[in-house]
Amino acid sequence: SAEFGQTGGAVVNMIMKSGTNNFDGTAYYFLRNSALNSTDWFTARAGREKPYYRRHQVGGVFGGPAVKDKLFYLFSLDGQRRREPFRPISAATERATDPEFADALERYYQILEDEYGIANAAATYDEFETTNDVLTLFGRVDWTISQANRFSLRHNFSDYDNLNEGSSPAGGRSQHEAFKNTTNSLVGELTSSFGETMANVFRFQWSSEDRPRVGNELRPEILVQNVVPGESIEYGGAFISFDIRLAEDKIQLVDNFTWQLGSHMVKVGTNNIFTHVTNDFWLNGSGGYEIADLHALEAGRPTRYTRNVTRDGRAPTAEFDVQEYSLYTQAEGQATPKLFVAAGVRYGAAG
């Protein structure tokens, strides 16, 4: 439709729950715990303990009247706390199946400590815990100003906090990261009717998102090839999380006027979005060494070093503003009992 002409994919229209003249609420708790699970066949056959998994999720909704028939409120909460293990490649995991590789890894740990000053290097490759903690809050107030006017104000808050996020078995904990995402969204909406055939909806939205990523180890990556023939191991190097942060602030102003003409409807509207973006993104900012084997690692002889840098040596940062303006009109209706027709025109500009 012309109203959503800037949208490349599907459009989802959601009707959110609001408070009523009755006080009511619900609460829930969800638990997943590996202690309640059986051991799978492969883990049992290998003689290993089943990996632990913990997930707690709690939430609730409560709403009611602040002023009967006039002012209502609704509040909801959803929180999650999840813990699960990550098992990197290590001397302990390889000992039973490839003792030569396990011995080489133990030598590698010792070289990191003796030659590169990395304390307790072996612990980087021990099994460690990853987290996924989420908190979402929603609040809404609805005010029936008069029979013809209704105002609603709602706020969404979400906070994601993930530690040791990643998927690198060769780099262990040193190649994982802390990922956070905090989002706020405030929406005010005024709905007004003019008689039985005309209505207007004005909507204001402010939203803010802050999304930093910080690597566990910001020193340059060490990639050691041929620890034994055909096997490699890594340490450090926050390749995509050396200096990463996305912050976005947005204001949106929308106004739609609708006129119902029998079985036909005409809508005229405008949608204007003002965005400020700050994006720090230093890919491979820590750099990395490629080393042929353990002998070269011990001697400090890399075959190659790479690092992305800007011409002036500063951290790559993009900070900019975007303004998007649009006007549209559309009409739709039942042309015949079997034919529904919709048509619209939209004009948009950006700067």
Side-chain angles (χ1 to χ4, degrees):
S1 67
E3 180 180 0
F4 302 106
Q6 67 189 33
T7 305
V11 175
V12 179
N13 185 26
M14 294 187 295
I15 300 175
M16 295 184 178
K17 185 177 180 180
S18 63
T20 67
N21 275 328
N22 299 317
F23 293 102
D24 61 69
T26 59
Y28 58 86
Y29 174 73
F30 174 82
L31 169 68
R32 281 192 62 188
N33 192 312
S34 54
L36 305 176
N37 300 341
S38 62
T39 304
D40 67 81
W41 185 85
F42 296 100
T43 300
R45 187 173 185 273
R48 299 196 304 264
E49 293 185 4
K50 61 184 176 182
Y52 72 88
Y53 181 90
R54 309 283 189 274
R55 178 181 170 188
H56 304 270
Q57 187 169 357
V58 62
V61 181
F62 183 79
V67 178
K68 189 174 182 180
D69 296 329
K70 295 287 288 184
L71 188 63
F72 311 94
Y73 63 87
L74 182 84
F75 175 77
S76 70
L77 174 148
D78 184 273
Q80 173 185 278
R81 180 180 172 90
R82 191 172 77 187
R83 301 289 182 270
E84 56 186 305
F86 187 91
R87 181 176 293 173
I89 295 172
S90 69
T93 61
E94 302 301 312
R95 177 63 61 191
T97 57
D98 194 342
E100 181 186 3
F101 187 27
D103 290 341
L105 288 174
E106 290 184 348
R107 182 186 170 199
Y108 161 76
Y109 304 149
Q110 195 62 50
I111 294 172
L112 290 183
E113 293 187 13
D114 295 343
E115 305 297 331
Y116 294 86
I118 299 173
N120 197 15
T124 300
Y125 303 90
D126 290 341
E127 182 176 287
F128 58 89
E129 185 177 75
T130 66
T131 73
N132 187 335
D133 295 342
V134 183
L135 174 65
T136 59
L137 303 173
F138 173 77
R140 174 172 179 160
V141 176
D142 292 275
W143 178 25
T144 303
I145 303 171
S146 66
Q147 189 172 357
N149 297 280
R150 176 170 175 166
F151 177 74
S152 68
L153 185 69
R154 60 184 184 268
H155 185 262
N156 282 280
F157 168 81
S158 64
D159 184 70
Y160 296 79
D161 192 357
N162 300 348
L163 298 179
N164 293 323
E165 184 176 82
S167 58
S168 172
R173 189 195 297 262
S174 71
Q175 290 191 337
H176 284 61
E177 65 184 33
F179 174 75
K180 298 177 182 290
N181 190 347
T182 303
T183 304
N184 282 280
S185 176
L186 177 69
V187 180
E189 184 174 284
L190 176 64
T191 302
S192 303
S193 60
F194 308 94
E196 297 182 354
T197 60
M198 292 181 288
N200 190 82
V201 178
F202 171 75
R203 185 182 308 115
F204 164 85
Q205 175 175 323
W206 166 81
S207 63
S208 176
E209 180 178 16
D210 189 22
R211 193 166 60 190
R213 301 172 68 169
V214 181
N216 289 347
E217 176 57 80
L218 300 182
R219 287 179 288 190
E221 177 188 15
I222 299 174
L223 168 60
V224 184
Q225 300 168 329
N226 295 311
V227 177
V228 294
E231 298 287 354
S232 62
I233 193 73
E234 303 171 34
Y235 180 88
F239 187 75
I240 62 170
S241 54
F242 175 72
D243 187 2
I244 306 295
R245 178 175 176 262
L246 174 65
E248 182 177 289
D249 296 293
K250 183 175 294 187
I251 292 176
Q252 183 180 29
L253 300 172
V254 180
D255 192 76
N256 289 316
F257 178 80
T258 304
W259 190 8
Q260 193 73 38
L261 301 170
S263 62
H264 302 276
M265 185 270 289
V266 177
K267 178 181 286 187
V268 179
T270 180
N271 186 347
N272 308 283
I273 304 173
F274 309 93
T275 307
H276 179 77
V277 177
T278 302
N279 191 7
D280 302 325
F281 189 83
W282 196 339
L283 185 68
N284 192 28
S286 57
Y289 295 93
E290 291 185 19
I291 300 176
D293 51 33
L294 289 178
H295 297 292
L297 177 69
E298 191 167 23
R301 293 197 309 266
T303 56
R304 185 168 71 165
Y305 173 76
T306 58
R307 186 189 185 207
N308 295 339
V309 294
T310 59
R311 183 171 296 179
D312 59 8
R314 298 179 181 178
T317 299
E319 187 168 2
F320 56 93
D321 295 296
V322 179
Q323 298 88 37
E324 302 170 78
Y325 306 92
S326 63
L327 294 169
Y328 47 85
T329 181
Q330 62 188 49
E332 57 187 49
Q334 204 72 39
T336 71
K338 295 185 178 181
L339 178 63
F340 183 85
V341 178
V345 177
R346 180 187 180 93
Y347 171 80

